[in-house]
Amino acid sequence: MESSYPSLLPVLWFLGIWALANIAFTLYRYIQKGRSDDAEHSETLRVELASPLHLRVTTTMFNNVVAACAQCSLTRCPLVSWLIDGFYRVGVCVSFVSMVVCVGVLCTAAVQIAARIGAKAGYPLADAWSMVLEVQKYLGVAHFDQRATPHVGSDSQHSRLSRRLVGTPDPQVLRPIIPGVTLPTGHLWHYLLALSICAIIHELGHAFAAARARVPLRNLGVFVMGIYPGAFVELCKTKLDQASVGSRLSIVCAGVWHNAVTALLVFVLVRSGGLGAVFSHTGWTRVTNGVVISDVASNSPLHNRIPLLSTVYRIDDVYLQSNYSNTWNTNDRFGETSIARWTHILTATTNRDTNTAGYCASTAENMDDGLCCEMSPEFPLGESPDNDVFCFERFAQPSKLSLSKHTPMCFDLRSVLERSDAANRCQSDSDCLQPNQRSHLYTGKQKSSICVLPSSPFASSRVVRIYYHLPNNQTEHMLLYAGSPTELWLDVQVSSLCPRYPYLPHTLPSWIETLMQYILSFSLAFCLLNALPAYYLDGDLAFKLLITAVEQRTRVARATKCNILASADSKPLYKKELTDSGTEEPVELSRGGQMVYTAVTALTTALLGWCIVGSVLLLAL
């Protein structure tokens, strides 16, 4: 039996790489000790190991480049300068909107995590989460599938809703990203590259906005802390403190704003078909009748069973072709594009969602051995020693059946599902009781026939029929897959593009599309999380500057009112103090402002910490 414990190979790789990095840095520092001839080079590029798992690379090579881009002749044009300043003013507004949104998301996530932990511990805190969801639904914030919502007016409405939400693997509002645990190991390079790109864009936003405000850039760099890459910039603190509150807000909020713009551009590029148009003009052909298999993981059960560049055009009874019309509106249920349908079918549906009809089977074919329907998380496909035997249930809704019909039924999976032609599909048992159409179901004396569907209470034991065409061949083929559809989605990479020439890499479009999805997700995460008024985040300083700006505006209004009331020959009671450089003198927060800042920041930091710890705890549970 295959071990259920996770492989330690990724951990060994992680520890080995960091051990080599520490040894190499120790040798480098020993060699460079006492040498001063490369002082200028060391100032330009510096590598340091801040801790055993924290590597930093700092450089000043790009300082002049950033300053030149921010202060070039084009940006000094009055119209262009006004547009750039307006661009960053909009960024300040977007950052504070993100701050409010993320605080709401954080509060929701904190209650959700507490509810789920309480449910696992047997504490009835789950009802609090269900009531939060009900309020969100009333306000139009949350939307529920009608099938998942209990009957209105039920006495146990909150309890059943909370059991539904807490006891099923519905997605959390916030989930930690841990490679190999919540992130597929096959997507590790997408994750590292996308996270690095988003971090660099974020820090370049700070650097460019600072150069616009004539705050010098000391250096910029990149770092790796454990498994998380990142970037940073260091500004001249003296000049930054002397800048006006508006300039400092633009600098602090520029990173969040750049990530928001990046997310918008990537969304428009992918959604509008611009990315596909680029590939279409550089050697790839768009496939409209399905998705193209570009790669299959070597450990997948489909490896070497379905050829690469085959076109999957149908899963169960749902066609992936975007303009295909069948008995139901698949555009509304599964998405408008082939990729969207492929993803939704394999990650957010059950057997009943993708099968419009059941399968006729004779009761004489029942191979119940008392084990095939004994399913558990350890044996999601049943405990029967015969791998071809699977548990089935009546296709009719269980509420329409009597208790006597809830008996386990086991059939040969391939024998039943390969008879998937129209003559052997059914909506009820009566559709299978027509001898002229079901003659092969009767041997000797007439046996009863029933309408069935593969059944399992676990998402990891779903049965999927995959219909595909071979490359350059329109012959139809069907493949049966029994197992986790989510693993199928992770192991099989698909694309809507097929290379026209054999020398083009067929995995490139799907690789780029996946990278774009990660860039979009990480950009939104940077935009929201960095806007939080929590310690060590951009929102911390932004919130403090907001309170400073409000207090300055209040003081100006009060002083202006006093000046109006004062006599014309008296000395004004308010005078704006300027430093020698012509910038505003830093103003400290008042006692009340400091209390508000400290309370909000501490509370938000505590909520964020709880969400992080609680999410990891849920994974452990």
Side-chain angles (χ1 to χ4, degrees):
M1 179 181 293
E2 188 175 340
S3 175
S4 59
Y5 293 98
S7 174
L8 294 177
L9 187 60
V11 178
L12 295 178
W13 272 104
F14 172 79
L15 296 177
I17 291 175
W18 275 111
L20 290 176
N22 280 265
I23 294 173
F25 182 76
T26 302
L27 292 175
Y28 171 79
R29 188 170 53 183
Y30 177 78
I31 294 173
Q32 294 294 327
K33 187 177 181 180
R35 298 177 59 179
S36 58
D37 52 344
D38 290 337
E40 182 178 353
H41 175 72
S42 62
E43 286 294 328
T44 304
L45 180 65
R46 185 175 59 185
V47 181
E48 59 180 341
L49 199 63
S51 68
L53 297 178
H54 186 188
L55 180 67
R56 290 165 54 101
V57 180
T58 307
T59 182
T60 59
M61 292 187 294
F62 301 102
N63 291 8
N64 294 332
V65 176
V66 173
C69 292
Q71 301 294 338
C72 65
S73 57
L74 178 62
T75 58
R76 287 197 296 268
C77 174
L79 178 59
V80 175
S81 179
W82 180 80
L83 290 175
I84 294 176
D85 292 340
F87 174 80
Y88 283 108
R89 282 194 292 269
V90 172
V92 173
C93 299
V94 171
S95 298
F96 283 110
V97 171
S98 299
M99 181 184 295
V100 175
V101 171
C102 195
V103 168
V105 171
L106 194 66
C107 294
T108 303
V111 176
Q112 183 194 42
I113 292 171
R116 293 194 174 189
I117 293 178
K120 291 181 180 294
Y123 189 73
L125 183 62
D127 289 337
W129 168 241
S130 68
M131 297 186 69
V132 170
L133 293 174
E134 287 296 317
V135 173
Q136 289 184 338
K137 182 181 177 183
Y138 176 77
L139 297 176
V141 178
H143 303 279
F144 297 98
D145 190 340
Q146 293 297 326
R147 295 168 298 174
T149 305
H151 178 68
V152 177
S154 172
D155 295 335
S156 59
Q157 178 179 1
H158 293 310
S159 299
R160 284 198 284 170
L161 179 60
S162 60
R163 285 198 298 269
R164 170 77 183 181
L165 292 170
V166 177
T168 58
D170 292 333
Q172 291 179 208
V173 177
L174 294 178
R175 287 178 62 87
I177 300 178
I178 304 175
V181 180
T182 60
L183 180 78
T185 54
H187 291 183
L188 182 60
W189 291 111
H190 300 89
Y191 158 78
L192 294 175
L193 184 57
L195 191 58
S196 300
I197 290 173
C198 293
I200 291 173
I201 291 175
H202 180 93
E203 298 302 330
L204 286 178
H206 292 309
F208 190 81
R212 287 285 304 168
R214 300 189 181 278
V215 175
L217 175 65
R218 293 183 57 188
N219 54 61
L220 55 87
V222 294
F223 68 88
V224 178
M225 183 179 295
I227 56 176
Y228 298 103
F232 61 92
V233 295
E234 292 184 11
L235 305 175
C236 180
K237 189 176 185 306
T238 304
K239 293 293 184 180
L240 181 63
D241 291 340
Q242 293 176 354
S244 64
V245 174
S247 297
R248 279 182 283 171
L249 273 174
S250 297
I251 296 172
V252 172
C253 298
V256 170
W257 177 227
H258 277 221
N259 287 129
V261 173
T262 301
L264 179 62
L265 293 178
V266 171
F267 177 79
V268 171
L269 178 64
V270 175
R271 186 68 176 177
S272 65
L275 184 63
V278 172
F279 281 111
S280 299
H281 288 85
T282 53
W284 279 267
T285 302
R286 178 172 293 279
V287 177
T288 58
N289 63 336
V291 295
V292 177
I293 303 294
S294 59
D295 192 24
V296 181
S298 58
N299 60 345
S300 172
L302 295 186
H303 186 65
N304 293 330
R305 292 186 60 192
I306 182 169
L308 297 180
L309 300 182
S310 298
T311 301
V312 177
Y313 65 92
R314 175 182 168 190
I315 298 179
D316 290 338
D317 295 333
V318 181
Y319 285 82
L320 301 182
Q321 186 174 348
S322 57
N323 58 355
Y324 187 89
S325 60
N326 48 18
T327 56
W328 54 10
N329 191 347
T330 53
N331 284 340
D332 293 340
R333 298 194 61 182
F334 301 114
E336 299 178 356
T337 65
S338 301
I339 298 292
R341 295 188 183 190
W342 165 271
T343 300
H344 188 85
I345 289 171
L346 296 182
T347 58
T349 57
T350 63
N351 282 330
R352 290 190 177 274
D353 293 325
T354 57
N355 285 275
T356 59
Y359 305 87
C360 288
S362 172
T363 54
E365 297 176 325
N366 192 349
M367 304 170 61
D368 182 23
D369 54 3
L371 296 175
C372 79
C373 291
E374 295 295 326
M375 297 180 177
S376 62
E378 186 178 359
F379 299 98
L381 296 177
E383 300 184 20
S384 176
D386 190 349
N387 294 330
D388 293 332
V389 177
F390 200 82
C391 185
F392 282 76
E393 65 179 353
R394 301 268 183 145
F395 180 75
Q397 293 294 335
S399 60
K400 299 179 181 180
L401 301 175
S402 63
L403 294 178
S404 61
K405 295 184 179 180
H406 287 281
T407 56
M409 296 173 289
C410 302
F411 298 99
D412 184 279
L413 189 63
R414 188 174 301 276
S415 174
V416 174
L417 265 64
E418 284 184 347
R419 300 196 301 255
S420 57
D421 54 293
N424 293 292
R425 302 299 299 276
C426 54
Q427 296 290 336
S428 62
D429 293 350
S430 60
D431 295 337
C432 300
L433 298 178
Q434 302 175 14
N436 60 333
Q437 296 182 10
R438 310 285 191 269
S439 58
H440 66 281
L441 296 178
Y442 302 88
T443 57
K445 60 181 181 179
Q446 182 170 327
K447 301 287 183 179
S448 61
S449 300
I450 53 178
C451 187
V452 296
L453 190 70
S455 171
S456 174
F458 303 100
S460 58
S461 59
R462 184 174 159 195
V463 178
V464 178
R465 290 177 291 127
I466 303 174
Y467 295 85
Y468 64 94
H469 299 305
L470 294 176
N472 302 320
N473 190 339
Q474 294 301 314
T475 304
E476 295 184 356
H477 297 269
M478 187 191 75
L479 183 66
L480 287 179
Y481 174 86
S484 171
T486 303
E487 291 183 3
L488 174 63
W489 178 73
L490 294 174
D491 293 340
V492 180
Q493 293 188 15
V494 299
S495 175
S496 58
L497 299 167
C498 183
R500 290 195 293 264
Y501 310 105
Y503 57 83
L504 292 176
H506 56 271
T507 60
L508 183 61
S510 62
W511 202 93
I512 296 296
E513 288 171 355
T514 304
L515 177 64
M516 289 296 179
Q517 293 173 4
Y518 275 102
I519 291 177
L520 176 60
S521 299
F522 288 153
S523 295
L524 291 175
F526 271 69
C527 177
L528 290 176
L529 292 179
N530 265 290
L532 275 175
Y535 295 123
Y536 306 111
L537 297 179
D538 293 342
D540 178 18
L541 184 55
F543 185 65
K544 186 174 184 179
L545 290 172
L546 176 64
I547 298 177
T548 302
V550 172
E551 289 186 346
Q552 283 188 352
R553 184 66 63 89
T554 303
R555 282 195 294 267
V556 170
R558 289 176 180 175
T560 303
K561 183 177 180 180
C562 292
N563 288 336
I564 294 175
L565 297 177
S567 60
D569 58 344
S570 64
K571 183 180 178 180
L573 299 179
Y574 173 82
K575 181 179 179 181
K576 192 175 183 180
E577 298 293 340
L578 298 178
T579 62
D580 295 337
S581 59
T583 56
E584 292 183 18
E585 183 179 358
V587 180
E588 296 294 333
L589 290 178
S590 65
R591 183 176 179 181
Q594 186 65 39
M595 291 178 60
V596 172
Y597 162 74
T598 303
V600 172
T601 306
L603 179 60
T604 308
T605 304
L607 282 175
L608 182 59
W610 161 248
C611 289
I612 295 174
V613 174
S615 299
V616 176
L617 184 60
L618 278 177
L619 290 177
L621 294 176

